[in-house]
Amino acid sequence: MSVAEHVNLDEFMSGVKRRNPGQPEFVQAVQEVSEDIFEFIQDKLPYHEYQILRRIAEPDRVVSFRVCWEDDNGNIRVQRGWRVQNNSAIGPYKGGLRFHRDVTESVLKFLAFEQTFKNSLTGLPMGGGKGGSNFNPKGKSDHEVMRFCQSFMTELYRHVGADIDVPAGDIGVGAREIGYMFGQYKRITNQFTGVLTGKGLEYGGSLIRTEATGYGATYFLQNMLQHVGDSIDGKSVVISGSGNVATHAAEKVTHLGGKVLTLSDSGGFIYDPAGIDQEKIDWVKEHKTTRRGRIADYAGEFAGSEFHTDKRPWGVPCDLAMPCATQNELDGDDARTLLKNGCIGVSEGANMPTNLEGVHLFKEAQILYGPGKAANAGGVAVSGLEMSQNSARISWKEAELQKLLVDIMGGIHDRCVEYGGVAGTEHIDYVRGANIAGFVKVADAMLAYGVV
Ligand code: NDP
Ligand code: 2IT
């Protein structure tokens, strides 16, 4: 068959849709990547002959299991758990676990697919995976969360391992949940290995893993700005979310001289025209993580700020935006509003926060737009460094790790620039750059293996 006969994005996508009914998030993620990859591989016959993209878009396996646990009132509760092992061409499966009411197989398949490209971009030897459960941690006691995590790991443990698949945190899974799951893994297997990352410092965790995603997304924003001779200093920044990624992005933006105007959660957003400084960020961290409170309470705590119920922050005029909450939280109308208000840069701390229409609008407007798979890769990169430290049974110092994070984010930026140049302009299409750079390494490894 000639190359031309292979190259048809629409046919490819109709096959993806047919094989994945009722999985819109997965189809969306594959579409966004395939738009760039099809153009890139047009004249590259081996990638077609060996059906590389088709194979990356078909997870190696999807494990689904029942998770039973008992709540504090003695009721038996039943949840569904999954681990999606998308691709291990360049290393063990690696990616977070998400506990959220809305988790479905589609959501985890999109995340595992994205993770494959993201992990490749870091330059570290990690394949792509993701897992989680439709367990809703909101309002649960510590003991309920512990019992759930133990039951979840009692099934998951047989599918993971330090050289097989290494989960970590994501939405609803932080230090507490990783601790409970690591404890259960160790108990079942009688092994102390680096099977999870994001662990506590006392039991094999790495310094700066907690900060890495938010800091990394801010470094990526800074890298994009520096590439055009600009910086974060003095810029106004709108951030969504108020969890791990959002609060650490806010912190690094503040360190670099930016002014953070908003944070949000699933109940709405707060707008603080005076700027959300370090003291306020510390309050948010304590309130959202330790007290498991709501962002709405910020308005009662800090005079001059406002809470907007059930609204997203994208209408607040800003120079820069960082979506750091969840998928599809920024749609075409939001993108138009940001552009109309003069936003010049977007760095995605969350995975696929911008819907396809929004992505197209940002690309067309040629703003500095760092997609999640590049911009938020700092978290998994430091997870990769945690794996190395665990294997070598050593702990690196904070300064070394901070430098490695900066270097890795710089390397990701360079790889995007290498593949994302727009002919006849100085502009970098970071979406295309990230998709192609992420693809090439995985694809070439797959070619080396033949058909497996
Ligand atoms: P957290 O659980 O710490 O925080 C999640 C935040 O997003 C909370 O403020 C939460 O609000 C909000 N949120 C979740 N779902 C929704 C929703 N449906 N609508 C509006 N707000 C919502 O998670 P993280 O900060 O770790 O993750 C945030 C994003 O970053 C996710 O997309 C994740 O995949 C991505 N990411 C995370 C990495 C990490 O290292 N943790 C690495 C790379 C990407 P509420 O409290 O009301 O639920
Ligand atoms: O989306 C992500 O990159 C993460 N949730 C972090 C994954 C990891 O293995 O650290």
Side-chain angles (χ1 to χ4, degrees):
M1 215 186 267
S2 75
V3 174
E5 282 174 82
H6 288 283
V7 182
N8 187 332
L9 174 63
D10 290 342
E11 265 174 39
F12 176 78
M13 282 313 302
S14 69
V16 171
K17 281 181 198 142
R18 197 175 58 246
R19 287 187 297 275
N20 300 281
Q23 303 202 336
E25 294 87 0
F26 178 65
V27 171
Q28 179 185 339
V30 176
Q31 168 89 36
E32 191 246 86
V33 167
S34 303
E35 286 175 5
D36 290 323
I37 301 300
F38 262 83
E39 197 194 318
F40 173 69
I41 63 176
Q42 237 172 27
D43 55 355
K44 297 176 179 65
L45 190 56
Y47 294 147
H48 294 284
E49 281 186 337
Y50 283 84
Q51 298 279 344
I52 299 296
L53 189 58
R54 168 87 171 78
R55 285 159 62 194
I56 299 177
E58 190 69 43
D60 289 358
R61 64 193 63 80
V62 179
V63 184
S64 150
F65 46 91
R66 186 182 63 236
V67 187
C68 299
W69 58 285
E70 189 175 339
D71 71 21
D72 287 345
N73 298 319
N75 301 308
I76 302 304
R77 311 283 287 264
V78 183
Q79 248 65 56
R80 192 170 295 171
W82 288 269
R83 187 70 184 166
V84 180
Q85 297 179 332
N86 194 73
N87 188 290
S88 63
I90 61 167
Y93 304 105
K94 179 84 195 88
L97 295 170
R98 179 177 291 190
F99 293 168
H100 190 275
R101 194 190 54 188
D102 299 338
V103 163
T104 61
E105 191 172 307
S106 169
V107 167
L108 297 177
K109 277 173 65 180
F110 114 64
L111 288 162
F113 177 79
E114 287 280 293
Q115 197 83 44
T116 303
F117 295 85
K118 182 196 306 189
N119 293 2
S120 165
L121 274 171
T122 65
L124 300 172
M126 301 181 289
K130 199 85 185 192
S133 173
N134 57 359
F135 174 71
N136 179 5
K138 290 205 178 75
K140 303 290 189 298
S141 70
D142 271 357
H143 279 89
E144 289 176 324
V145 170
M146 181 181 74
R147 285 195 292 275
F148 174 79
C149 288
Q150 290 175 341
S151 183
F152 183 84
M153 184 50 88
T154 300
E155 183 60 35
L156 185 68
Y157 90 95
R158 66 187 91 242
H159 307 293
V160 297
D163 294 316
I164 302 169
D165 183 352
V166 183
D170 194 77
I171 292 177
V173 177
R176 174 181 62 166
E177 292 74 17
I178 293 290
Y180 291 147
M181 286 191 275
F182 187 74
Q184 185 72 350
Y185 182 86
K186 195 169 71 57
R187 178 187 183 193
I188 296 169
T189 62
N190 199 25
Q191 283 181 10
F192 195 110
T193 65
V195 66
L196 297 172
T197 60
K199 298 185 292 299
L201 295 178
E202 307 78 11
Y203 54 95
S206 174
L207 286 163
I208 83 156
R209 174 61 189 89
T210 309
E211 297 87 349
T213 310
Y215 280 19
T218 312
Y219 293 142
F220 197 83
L221 185 59
Q222 181 83 334
N223 289 336
M224 291 194 297
L225 285 159
Q226 275 168 355
H227 194 72
V228 296
D230 207 341
S231 78
I232 289 177
D233 191 26
K235 302 277 192 305
S236 58
V237 187
V238 159
I239 299 182
S240 66
S242 49
N244 172 279
V245 180
T247 52
H248 291 103
E251 193 166 286
K252 186 49 71 179
V253 165
T254 308
H255 293 171
L256 295 175
K259 183 178 183 184
V260 178
L261 297 177
T262 66
L263 289 171
S264 73
D265 65 16
S266 53
F269 77 91
I270 50 111
Y271 169 45
D272 188 341
I276 304 171
D277 60 17
Q278 187 67 53
E279 188 194 333
K280 294 169 178 174
I281 295 166
D282 288 343
W283 181 89
V284 174
K285 283 186 188 169
E286 178 76 11
H287 190 63
K288 288 291 295 185
T289 309
T290 313
R291 294 195 288 277
R292 308 211 176 255
R294 308 303 302 158
I295 200 69
D297 303 330
Y298 182 103
E301 190 71 20
F302 298 106
S305 62
E306 305 160 5
F307 178 65
H308 296 261
T309 311
D310 289 335
K311 293 268 187 329
R312 302 189 289 209
W314 313 124
V316 173
C318 62
D319 301 312
L320 304 166
M322 298 184 75
C324 296
T326 193
Q327 66 274 2
N328 291 327
E329 55 164 319
L330 197 164
D331 62 19
D333 288 340
D334 298 322
R336 274 183 212 95
T337 304
L338 283 166
L339 292 169
K340 181 169 64 68
N341 287 340
C343 176
I344 58 163
V346 176
S347 180
E348 295 183 339
N351 286 304
M352 204 171 76
T354 309
N355 78 358
L356 213 50
E357 189 190 6
V359 172
H360 291 154
L361 286 164
F362 287 151
K363 276 185 159 209
E364 276 157 32
Q366 299 204 339
I367 61 163
L368 304 173
Y369 171 44
K373 64 172 75 66
N376 72 37
V380 75
V382 175
S383 278
L385 302 179
E386 183 172 332
M387 289 166 69
S388 303
Q389 292 170 82
N390 291 168
S391 300
R393 293 188 157 75
I394 52 171
S395 300
W396 294 334
K397 295 196 170 58
E398 179 169 346
E400 295 172 76
L401 287 156
Q402 293 282 13
K403 182 176 180 318
L404 282 168
L405 176 60
V406 169
D407 288 352
I408 289 171
M409 294 314 296
I412 296 172
H413 180 267
D414 292 348
R415 280 187 272 283
C416 291
V417 170
E418 187 184 341
Y419 288 102
V422 176
T425 75
E426 296 285 294
H427 180 66
I428 304 299
D429 179 341
Y430 286 94
V431 177
R432 182 154 57 80
N435 284 337
I436 297 174
F439 172 81
V440 167
K441 185 175 172 195
V442 175
D444 290 346
M446 289 172 73
L447 285 179
Y449 300 147
V451 182
V452 290

